[in-house]
Amino acid sequence: MPDTTLTSDRSHNVPSPAQYDDASGYYTPGEPIADTKAPDGPIDERWQTRKFEARLVNPANRRKLSIIIVGTGLAGGAAAATLGEAGYNVKSFCYQDSPRRAHSIAAQGGINAAKNYKEDGDSVHRLFYDTVKGGDYRSRESNVYRLAEVSTNIIDQCVAQGVPFAREYGGLLDNRSFGGVQVSRTFYARGQTGQQLLIGAYQAMERQVKLGTVTEYTRHEMLEVVVVDDGETKRARGIIARNMVTGEIETHLADVVVLASGGYGNVFYLSTNAMGSNVTAAWRAHRKGAYMANPCYTQIHPTCIPVSGEHQSKLTLMSESLRNDGRIWVPKKAEDCTKDPRDIPEEDRDYYLERIYPSFGNLVPRDIASRQAKNVCDEGRGVGPMVGDFRRGVYLDFADAIERLGEDVVREKYDNLFDMYERITGENPYQVPMRIYPAVHYVMGGLWVDYDLQSSITGLFVTGEANFSDHGANRLGASALMQGLADGYFVLPHTIRDYLAEGPFEEVDESHPAVVEARTAVQERIDKFLSIKGNRSVDSFHRELGHIMWEYCGMERTAEGLRKAIDMIRELKREFWTDLKVLGTADSLNQSLEKAGRVADFIELGELMCIDALNRRESCGGHFRAESQTEDGEALRHDDEFAYVAAWEWAGEDETPILHKEDLVYTAIEMKQRSYK
């Protein structure tokens, strides 16, 4: 590789990215792509235009059409309820024992909507602007504006369902602030917002189950998508799923398939995701032709309970809402890090976010808060027990809030979160500051979709966290619930009908060659897992992959580290397929077998994430390349070279992936370097 140590007056020895391609040899350049579904014209008219232009399906024809939806979180549950209500025949799949156990239930802090109830200057356009800026100008503006536009409908829908949002004394819905904004637009139900919203979607879906429009399949895991060539185009027409209780391999066919299967944060092993969260549904679709977009864009959440040792298998989130009233600090002097925080006087505390970013303070976006926490801990000013060579923790202190508001008010706003923290750590946060540290949380990358939420496979739609479309390189807090419900309730039902207006499609049965091929591939893969009979457990491979990803593709990435990670992942993959040990049989409940398939997909995804990160020689949002930063250590974008969506195509086993670029064009907003100071 050429020497990249060149001087530059705008960064730390950063060469122009045009001079180098760090990922040369790791990928194959492909044809550029574009989103052809988004209408032209003023941005505030595009969604209304698209809804009007989308073809209709009359009620009698809806009864003849079938839809498969994989996932029952906010995006999947809302879509199933809405499409069932419209009269389509819906099959809903989840691997949990109940749709109510989808990971959406774990969201705590709130959901954004541009209602401007506080009369503090909020608007649809400001929510749009905050989201694009928060994503470091790497999201698609048409999609983001639509998200901001329909956000107001979501709150009305959920209130009508009985979601118990927090209210002010007079009965009006309450709001609070989240990171990256200077207004209060986040609606919440204490620290249980995700749970309450999911119950709303769940009860709406269960109503359709009772009415017969939705058929529910729990404890079923999708292992393959069925893609049928009808002579004119290749269409998604069904899935192959495994009954996780009996082990039976089942074929389910439909006119269209929707993936609402969540994100892939568990590629890092330790994350705030539910233990079962995985990438398999999306990755199986990717291998069949669905492009994977911006996979390196993962979010590190700054407000999590710190890791305490090698014994852990997941991490616990402490809601970002706590940053409304909690103040983040570390000791100014490293020698004070072992002291009781209550014994450290005010003048010896460094409220570093308030110091560095006076305009936003503790409510800077997640990527910035996470990097600064890492920086102070790397300086030796972290707090808490030693884990490895570092104290990985900073304080989140509520002493000022308790003094200002009183403990009863703080308890009313955050009691369940404080209780959860005390149960896990044994420390009372009303008396001692919480300790927090960044952890993998959400992924902004996902399957590529157009404005209609259709992937590069015709007839395969992707919603919620499983797609890439709305958040760019960093997600603002309280926007995940907003996107999931927007996609499920208000976007997909309009766009999918334009596709279904072409149906009903040619009948496909289980004897079709594409179905037989997909089913055979699933069975052969299961047989392979059971036949290896090596020495290592699935979990040992997953943990090793997580170490590699966190070390080299975590909060900070370098070209050297990413190349090393790719080599390590490739060696891990070779060892996985030769030394894996899966106990039990395929014809029964077998969690080791389930994990084997998920980890195999995580290994392949991990390699692509590193290649994507290596290709993007710039820093933006959650993707921080050490080679591209400003003089004061902030992320430095290179819009002249990297203002595009990286859409990766599967080229085949052991072949280099193909990179398609979709240019990002902004007409309603100006691209500029972010500043929260």
Side-chain angles (χ1 to χ4, degrees), residues 31 77 110-111 115 175 192 272 429 469 544 604 622 656 660:
E31 293 296 317
I111 176 171
K115 286 284 198 179
N175 294 125
Q192 308 168 2
T272 66
S469 65
E544 184 174 342
E604 292 180 354
T656 56
H660 302 274

Side-chain angles (χ1 to χ4, degrees), residues 379-544:
E379 292 170 6
R381 295 192 288 142
V383 299
M386 294 287 287
V387 178
D389 298 328
F390 293 93
R391 299 184 189 277
R392 292 180 171 88
V394 300
Y395 289 125
L396 180 60
D397 195 339
F398 285 84
D400 284 0
I402 291 172
E403 182 177 350
R404 183 180 74 255
L405 303 171
E407 184 174 320
D408 289 344
V409 173
V410 173
R411 190 179 295 276
E412 182 179 348
K413 295 170 73 174
Y414 306 115
D415 182 44
N416 61 312
L417 297 171
F418 278 43
D419 181 62
M420 181 168 64
Y421 180 87
E422 185 171 8
R423 287 172 180 266
I424 292 172
T425 66
E427 299 174 0
N428 184 342
Y430 294 103
Q431 300 173 3
V432 182
M434 286 185 179
R435 285 180 294 106
I436 57 169
Y437 192 71
V440 173
H441 179 54
Y442 188 91
V443 295
M444 287 73 66
L447 292 180
W448 183 90
V449 292
D450 60 20
Y451 191 67
D452 283 358
L453 303 184
Q454 186 171 204
S455 74
S456 50
I457 297 177
T458 303
L460 180 70
F461 290 76
V462 190
T463 62
E465 191 179 357
N467 75 36
F468 87 100
S469 65
D470 291 354
H471 305 297
N474 173 63
R475 178 175 67 76
L476 291 182
S479 287
L481 305 185
M482 177 174 63
Q483 186 207 352
L485 291 180
D487 285 356
Y489 283 138
F490 300 110
V491 178
L492 182 72
H494 289 288
T495 61
I496 202 171
R497 62 178 165 81
D498 183 69
Y499 176 77
L500 288 173
E502 300 175 20
F505 300 99
E506 181 182 351
E507 192 71 25
V508 174
D509 61 29
E510 295 192 20
S511 65
H512 191 285
V515 178
V516 174
E517 178 188 1
R519 191 178 179 112
T520 300
V522 168
Q523 189 62 59
E524 289 178 348
R525 194 164 188 254
I526 289 173
D527 293 342
K528 175 64 175 177
F529 289 140
L530 292 167
S531 68
I532 297 173
K533 300 187 184 303
N535 299 300
R536 289 188 59 178
S537 69
V538 178
D539 283 341
S540 72
F541 283 106
H542 194 183
R543 187 185 294 273
E544 184 174 342

Side-chain angles (χ1 to χ4, degrees), residues 52 151 171 254 260 302 315 346 366 404 408 422 609 618 632:
F52 179 75
S151 69
L315 296 172
E346 191 73 13
R366 292 174 175 179
R404 183 180 74 255
D408 289 344
E422 185 171 8
M609 289 172 65
E618 69 165 348
D632 54 356

Side-chain angles (χ1 to χ4, degrees), residues 137-196:
Y137 302 90
R138 289 295 177 261
S139 53
R140 199 193 270 155
E141 70 169 7
S142 292
N143 290 69
V144 176
Y145 195 93
R146 176 176 64 187
L147 177 65
E149 184 179 344
V150 304
S151 69
T152 57
N153 298 334
I154 298 171
I155 303 305
D156 297 338
Q157 168 91 359
C158 295
V159 169
Q161 291 175 338
V163 172
F165 287 119
R167 295 179 181 268
E168 296 176 335
Y169 179 76
L172 300 177
L173 297 183
D174 197 12
N175 294 125
R176 55 191 179 196
S177 293
F178 261 60
V181 304
Q182 293 176 306
V183 298
S184 294
R185 65 163 67 102
T186 303
F187 296 78
Y188 64 98
R190 297 180 75 187
Q192 308 168 2
T193 314
Q195 178 180 353
Q196 299 301 332

